[in-house]
Amino acid sequence: MTGIIHGDGAIRRDSLYGSSIENTYAGVLSFMRRNYTRDLSGVDVAVSGIPLDLATTFRSGARQGPQAVRAASVQLAELKPFPWGFDPFDDLAVIDYGDCWFDAHNPLTIKPAIVEHARTILASGAKMLTFGGDHFVTYPLLIAHAEKYGKPLSLLHFDAHCDTWADDNPDSLNHGTMFYKAVKDGLIDPATSAQVGIRTWNDDFMGLDMLFAPWVHENGVEATIARIKERIGDKPVYLTFDIDCLDPAFAPGTGTPVPGGLTSAQALAIIRGLGELNIVGADVVEVAPSFDQSEITAIAAAHIACDILCLLRNRKLAGKL
C-alpha cells in the first residue's frame, strides 16, 4: 500500500515506518497507531502488554492498564511529539505486538509465560517497551533481558515504593519484592542502579542509589538527571516506571497511591534528559483505569512511553541502538 493512509493504520499499513491520519476518537487502538502484528522482522521496538494484577497488595485493576495506555495514546499519534518536533516512526520501526497470554487460573505458570513472551521478542533483536499490569511483571522481564544482555544489568526505577522487601520464596507473586529477588539473583547490580521518587521506608534498600522524592523536589530535575547518569554511566540499563511515582494528583489511577510524589512535568523532564543512557528495555506499569479520573493517569503513562520511544529513536540515529 502506498500513499497516506486515512484511518486504521494499525491494520492497514504495510510499512513498519511512517504514520497514518486518524480520527482521534475512532479506529483500532494499538499504541500510537502502530502496526498490530506478531511479525518481528525488521522491528526495532516491540510494544506489548502484560495484563496481570494478581500480585497486588492493595487495589487491583492494573490488568486493564495496557488497553488504557493504548487508548490514551491516540492524541500522541496525531501530531509530532512535544518537545521533540519529529515523528519517531519515520526512523524507528515500532510495532504493537499485542498482549502476553498467560493462564491466570494457574498462578505458578505466569512467571514462565512472561519470560517466554520476552525471550521470543528479544531473540528477534527487537527491544521491548512493555505495559503492565502490576509491577511484578518487571521481574520475569528482567530475567529475559539479563539472558539477552548479560548479568548484571543496571536498573533505573521510578516509583513511590522501593520494591526490595525481603521475599525468599521463588514462586511468590508479589509486586513489592521483585527487586529484592533481582538483586539476590544477580539480575541487577545495586552499585550501578538508582531508584527515583521513593517515599516509602525499607530497613534495607540493598545498596541501590535512593533518589527519594523529597530529594528530587529539593534539588531539581537537572541534579536528578546528573546523579542518574553518574550512577549508571553507559552500562546496559533497564528502565521501569511505576506510574505511582507520580503524586496521586497526577496519577490517581493506580493501586497503591502515595502523597508527595513527582509531578508529571518533573517526571517527563527527567525522562527526556536520559538520552545518553544505554536503555536495553523499558516498561510502564501499575495503571489501574478503574481508579482513574478523566484518563489523566493513562495519559501520563502514554506520554512517558512516547518519550522513551523518542530516546530510542535518537539512539538509533546515533548508531547506538
Side-chain angles (χ1 to χ4, degrees):
M1 183 178 295
T2 60
I4 297 175
I5 298 172
H6 290 75
D8 283 334
I11 57 174
R12 297 178 58 218
R13 187 186 302 110
D14 291 333
S15 173
L16 294 175
Y17 296 93
S19 296
S20 49
I21 296 175
E22 307 275 351
N23 290 322
T24 53
Y25 51 83
V28 176
L29 293 177
S30 63
F31 183 70
M32 293 186 72
R33 311 291 191 174
R34 302 323 301 155
N35 295 17
Y36 246 136
T37 180
R38 294 268 166 135
D39 184 354
L40 291 161
S41 303
V43 172
D44 294 318
V45 182
V47 174
S48 67
I50 306 180
L52 173 73
D53 61 6
L54 299 180
T56 54
T57 51
F58 186 36
R59 304 189 306 199
S60 60
R63 68 181 60 187
Q64 296 173 310
Q67 292 295 66
V69 177
R70 288 182 175 105
S73 74
V74 291
Q75 291 185 88
L76 286 166
E78 186 178 23
L79 300 170
K80 294 177 181 178
F82 179 88
W84 305 94
F86 55 72
D87 183 344
F89 308 120
D90 286 344
D91 306 293
L92 192 70
V94 181
I95 64 165
D96 192 322
Y97 191 79
D99 288 346
C100 171
W101 191 91
F102 54 83
D103 186 349
H105 304 289
N106 288 285
L108 293 183
T109 69
I110 291 174
K111 184 177 79 172
I114 298 171
V115 173
E116 286 304 313
H117 169 80
R119 282 173 176 160
T120 298
I121 294 172
L122 294 174
S124 74
K127 286 187 165 55
M128 295 186 70
L129 173 58
T130 308
F131 301 141
D134 66 50
H135 212 159
F136 174 81
V137 305
T138 303
Y139 178 45
L141 290 171
L142 280 172
I143 293 173
H145 280 78
E147 290 175 355
K148 173 71 174 181
Y149 295 102
K151 294 183 182 181
L153 298 170
S154 297
L155 180 74
L156 179 55
H157 173 205
F158 294 82
D159 207 322
H161 312 85
C162 62
D163 296 337
T164 51
W165 288 282
D167 178 4
D168 293 308
N169 181 347
D171 295 323
S172 68
L173 294 176
N174 188 324
H175 73 160
T177 66
M178 313 82 60
F179 303 128
Y180 173 89
K181 292 181 177 181
V183 171
K184 292 288 187 178
D185 294 347
L187 300 176
I188 60 174
D189 177 13
T192 63
S193 298
Q195 297 185 310
V196 183
I198 308 299
R199 50 198 187 276
T200 48
W201 188 255
N202 190 344
D203 288 336
D204 181 6
F205 289 109
M206 302 190 77
L208 287 83
D209 192 18
M210 308 304 299
L211 284 72
F212 295 110
W215 187 93
V216 176
H217 295 319
E218 292 166 9
N219 291 274
V221 166
E222 293 303 322
T224 302
I225 293 169
R227 187 162 153 184
I228 291 169
K229 289 180 178 179
E230 181 180 5
R231 183 74 169 188
I232 296 173
D234 61 357
K235 299 173 181 66
V237 58
Y238 188 93
L239 191 162
T240 179
F241 198 106
D242 186 327
I243 203 65
D244 71 27
C245 179
L246 303 183
D247 188 86
F250 303 92
T254 191
T256 47
V258 181
L262 274 60
T263 67
S264 299
Q266 285 174 311
L268 291 169
I270 294 167
I271 293 291
R272 290 165 183 166
L274 301 178
E276 297 176 21
L277 295 189
N278 179 19
I279 298 170
V280 297
D283 62 53
V284 183
V285 300
E286 294 283 1
V287 173
S290 58
F291 300 102
D292 210 356
Q293 300 292 324
S294 301
E295 297 183 280
I296 61 174
T297 309
I299 290 169
H303 277 73
I304 289 163
C306 176
D307 280 350
I308 292 170
L309 288 179
C310 289
L311 292 177
L312 295 176
R313 175 265 188 187
N314 284 349
R315 296 282 293 180
K316 180 181 180 181
L317 291 188
K320 298 179 179 180
L321 188 62

